[in-house]
Amino acid sequence: MNLSSEDSLPSHPLAGGPPPPQVRETPQAPRSRGTSDARDASRPPWLSLPPELAELLAPAVPAVVEQIIQTVPNQIPAYQITRTERFSEVLFLGVQGALEQLLSLPGTADPALNEESRELVAALGAGEYRQGRSMDALLAAYRTSARITFRGLSEACAEQGMAMDVVVDLGETILAYIDELSAVSVQAYAVEQSAHAGALELRRADLVAALVGGGAEIHEVRRLASGADWHLPQRMAAVVLPLAAASGVRTRLGISGIVVERESEATAIVAAPQSERLRPRLREVFAGTSAVLGPAVEWDGVAHSHRVARLVADQLPQLHAEPPGDGDPVFASDHLAQIILGAETQVMADLAARRLAPLDGLSGTKRTTLEETLLSWLVHWGQRNPVAHELGIHPQTVGYRVAQLRELFGGELDRPAVRFELELVLRARRMVESGPTE
């Protein structure tokens, strides 16, 4: 019988061909039918098959095996590129073992897979993941094999004149068997995928720790990056963001960055844009997360990038709000002066107490008004109209307030060093009250 292709298979009753030979009695396992003639769902379909069926169908098995190993690589593209002598050998052994297990079931209540065959099928599923293929290819191979097996074995049944009940039960047995193979392989694939993902996340955490911690040699960083399955970009930036935003950012970043959950926040390392024009892409990725992106650096500057991002994050009230992570992303490089202002709060407080001492005798409201006017006057180099516009008052009012300030501070307002320190402490005070501004 030529079984090199499905089309060359001889016809049989289920395929609409000529009638079979005279039906002869075939020993069958006893059946237990209910009033609806339906089998108990707890009974495997192969229990109703005759125990000697394997011996009767044995002559047809080699041809079925041959057709499967010829058809599967031809019909499933994922296996065409792996069609080597070794692959063909493994496929032959796998198909032969699967059919032997199938034909050991008739007349028994045994599970579809014994321990040995279950391990083999699980290894197939895990191997698919390790080979970089989806489960679609293996499941398609199972379906194709089931179709070829049913056609070949049902042909043998028809040629031997077996009753139609045997053919029907054989078909149901093959379907149930393939379902079990598929379920075991899918589970093994998922376990392998999960284990790989867990190990990959650990390796990525090691890479982030090395970059953020600083001090690692380039060969060590490259080794960690290879293990983390991440290509080191030429320039990168560290990002701090709330834990709740980590999962969504990881999905949006894809292969362009890595995200690691740490103790109280998440840290991301992303490829930094080569120009300011590419900032909108990062704004989109980190939209609604209140993330702080550190300055762009080379690999050995990631620790600095993370430190700067962390300093800005400490000054952002939205990162500590409830619920966290619903603000726009912030680029730390836009707030470097504010980092300096907030770096030594006690020193800044001491300087403020010294330089703003002339205002100590004023009421709270009066002091606030004059501090606001003084900062605006310093920023705009004493120009009345810009100060008036900023404060929303008349230029004459600006002149009146400045006269009060000169009366309080005297000649100190004409000293460049004092003016510089006054602007520092007033900007620092504003930053504490309102947070960093664009």
Side-chain angles (χ1 to χ4, degrees):
M1 183 186 303
N2 181 11
L3 295 175
S4 60
S5 69
E6 293 189 49
D7 293 336
S8 64
L9 289 170
S11 184
H12 63 88
L14 295 184
Q22 181 67 35
V23 175
R24 61 183 175 81
E25 291 296 325
T26 303
Q28 299 184 28
R31 298 172 180 260
S32 176
R33 303 285 185 178
T35 55
S36 61
D37 199 37
R39 181 186 291 114
D40 184 349
S42 64
R43 300 173 69 248
W46 48 85
L47 182 59
S48 299
L49 290 171
E52 60 272 26
L53 186 64
E55 182 180 351
L56 295 173
L57 297 181
V61 170
V64 171
V65 172
E66 179 65 22
Q67 188 179 3
I68 290 175
I69 63 176
Q70 292 296 326
T71 303
V72 166
N74 289 335
Q75 290 191 357
I76 301 173
Y79 295 129
Q80 290 178 1
I81 59 176
T82 59
R83 194 170 185 177
T84 62
E85 182 177 347
R86 173 60 179 164
F87 173 80
S88 298
E89 179 183 348
V90 171
L91 180 60
F92 173 80
L93 294 175
V95 171
Q96 187 177 52
L99 283 174
E100 287 178 356
Q101 174 62 21
L102 172 66
L103 292 179
S104 73
L105 298 176
T108 74
D110 294 343
L113 299 173
N114 58 29
E115 184 175 349
E116 181 180 355
S117 59
R118 181 174 291 273
E119 290 179 358
L120 173 62
V121 172
L124 287 175
E128 287 297 288
Y129 180 81
R130 288 193 292 269
Q131 291 297 322
R133 292 188 289 265
S134 71
M135 271 303 296
D136 294 342
L138 184 58
L139 295 180
Y142 284 158
R143 291 192 297 269
T144 300
S145 300
R147 187 175 67 251
I148 294 171
T149 300
F150 177 67
R151 177 169 291 190
L153 297 186
S154 61
E155 275 286 347
C157 290
E159 289 173 357
Q160 297 187 45
M162 296 185 191
M164 185 58 69
D165 279 353
V166 174
V167 177
V168 171
D169 287 338
L170 176 63
E172 189 176 351
T173 292
I174 293 172
L175 290 177
Y177 184 67
I178 291 298
D179 283 347
E180 182 66 11
L181 263 64
S182 300
V184 171
S185 294
V186 167
Q187 182 181 29
Y189 185 98
V191 169
E192 184 71 17
Q193 186 178 43
S194 177
H196 177 80
L200 184 64
E201 284 305 308
L202 288 175
R203 291 194 290 270
R204 290 190 167 185
D206 290 341
L207 173 61
V208 171
L211 289 171
V212 169
E217 298 292 337
I218 182 59
H219 64 84
E220 175 65 8
V221 171
R222 285 174 176 163
R223 183 188 69 79
L224 291 171
S226 177
D229 194 23
W230 194 58
H231 173 72
L232 279 176
Q234 183 176 357
R235 291 178 67 77
M236 60 196 86
V239 185
V240 295
L241 63 155
L243 282 172
S247 179
V249 168
R250 183 182 290 111
T251 300
R252 291 194 292 272
L253 274 176
I255 62 172
S256 64
I258 53 180
V259 181
V260 173
E261 286 91 343
R262 308 183 83 185
E263 292 181 0
S264 59
E265 65 185 16
T267 300
I269 308 295
V270 301
Q274 298 299 313
S275 71
E276 293 298 301
R277 293 177 301 164
L278 300 179
R279 266 197 181 188
R281 166 59 181 154
L282 288 177
R283 287 189 183 277
E284 180 182 343
V285 169
F286 291 99
T289 66
S290 296
V292 180
L293 292 84
V297 293
E298 295 184 358
W299 71 270
D300 55 352
V302 173
H304 165 71
S305 180
H306 180 262
R307 184 167 56 253
V308 172
R310 182 89 279 309
L311 287 170
V312 172
D314 287 340
Q315 298 173 16
L316 288 176
Q318 59 261 45
L319 280 184
H320 311 289
E322 294 294 339
D326 59 357
D328 293 330
V330 173
F331 290 85
S333 56
D334 295 338
H335 303 278
L336 299 182
Q338 291 165 334
I339 293 175
I340 297 173
L341 291 176
E344 292 290 345
T345 55
Q346 187 56 53
V347 173
M348 192 62 70
D350 292 344
L351 182 60
R354 178 186 175 193
R355 286 302 172 203
L356 298 177
L359 304 178
D360 287 347
L362 303 178
S363 65
T365 302
K366 183 67 173 178
R367 178 174 180 140
T368 300
T369 298
L370 288 182
E371 284 185 1
E372 182 182 61
T373 303
L374 178 57
L375 177 58
S376 183
W377 181 75
L378 292 167
V379 169
H380 295 294
W381 293 13
Q383 300 177 76
R384 285 193 184 187
N385 288 335
V387 174
H389 178 74
E390 180 183 337
L391 300 181
I393 59 178
H394 195 278
Q396 289 183 348
T397 305
V398 174
Y400 171 72
R401 291 183 183 177
V402 171
Q404 288 182 293
L405 289 168
R406 285 194 174 279
E407 183 179 346
L408 291 167
F409 284 89
E412 292 288 280
L413 291 183
D414 295 323
R415 295 176 56 194
V418 173
R419 291 162 67 106
F420 173 72
E421 290 179 356
L422 281 169
E423 186 172 349
L424 277 181
V425 298
L426 290 170
R427 282 184 176 274
R429 181 163 295 187
R430 173 180 288 184
M431 185 183 69
V432 170
E433 294 172 352
S434 60
T437 57
E438 291 293 337

